[in-house]
Amino acid sequence: MASNQNKKENETDDDSEFDCHGIMINKDKRDAMAGGLLDLLKPAVEEVDLRVKSVRESQVELRQHIDDLDEVLKHLATEKEAPIELDAYVKKLTNCKRKITVINSILHNAQERLQKLNQRISKVTGKRTSMLYLLTANQMPDVSSVSPPVQ
């Protein structure tokens, strides 16, 4: 009877492992769950990263256009007396240019933080997978210490 019980315990240990709370889980399910979490978060982080890059590119392009327009307006202002006062518009363009520079800096910092977050997610997922593997490997019974059944 004791040998039958040992066989049943050994059969469940082959397919199942314990997590940090002592709950038996299937190794395949654990790996699938860790992979699923990574697969779930990685596309979202990558999409945000791509959008931040495209916004930064458009900000750089917009800044270049504003610089060009600013130069043209300054040239017009020095060349001849304008029928309209352009100084107010030049100041507005300069303010817009400054704001775009600030926004570009903020977006750059956000992109760096997203990249670091993505790296941390990958690192933590890998650590948790290895910790679960080590925990389950440490909780498996030592087969060499089990005496053979008496016949």
Side-chain angles (χ1 to χ4, degrees):
M1 185 186 257
S3 64
N4 287 342
Q5 188 176 9
N6 285 340
K7 285 181 184 178
K8 287 181 183 177
E9 287 176 5
N10 287 338
E11 288 173 2
T12 59
D13 287 340
D14 291 341
D15 294 336
S16 301
E17 298 177 2
F18 291 91
D19 69 359
C20 58
H21 300 290
I23 300 171
M24 288 181 70
I25 59 170
N26 186 321
K27 182 179 178 182
D28 294 334
K29 287 182 182 178
R30 182 198 68 219
D31 291 342
M33 188 181 308
L37 285 173
L38 184 61
D39 291 342
L40 179 70
L41 295 175
K42 190 173 182 175
V45 171
E46 288 174 350
E47 181 181 342
V48 169
D49 190 44
L50 286 174
R51 289 186 182 194
V52 167
K53 284 180 184 178
S54 68
V55 168
R56 287 186 63 212
E57 290 171 2
S58 68
Q59 291 289 329
V60 169
E61 185 179 329
L62 180 59
R63 183 176 179 193
Q64 182 61 41
H65 288 301
I66 289 174
D67 287 343
D68 294 343
L69 185 58
D70 189 38
E71 289 298 320
V72 168
L73 288 175
K74 283 180 182 178
H75 180 70
L76 283 175
T78 58
E79 194 171 279
K80 62 180 179 178
E81 187 78 24
I84 352 175
E85 188 60 37
L86 296 179
D87 288 337
Y89 298 107
V90 171
K91 286 180 183 179
K92 286 182 181 181
L93 283 173
T94 305
N95 286 337
C96 288
K97 180 180 170 183
R98 188 181 64 239
K99 288 177 183 180
I100 288 173
T101 303
V102 169
I103 290 170
N104 193 22
S105 174
I106 291 169
L107 286 172
H108 180 70
N109 291 337
Q111 183 180 16
E112 287 177 356
R113 282 186 262 155
L114 283 171
Q115 289 172 344
K116 288 177 184 178
L117 178 64
N118 191 16
Q119 290 172 350
R120 280 191 229 143
I121 288 170
S122 297
K123 187 176 179 180
V124 168
T125 302
K127 282 184 179 180
R128 286 186 180 175
T129 302
S130 63
M131 284 177 44
L132 283 172
Y133 179 76
L134 288 174
L135 283 172
T136 56
N138 289 338
Q139 292 180 358
M140 294 183 76
D142 186 14
V143 183
S144 63
S145 66
V146 177
S147 61
V150 180
Q151 294 184 359

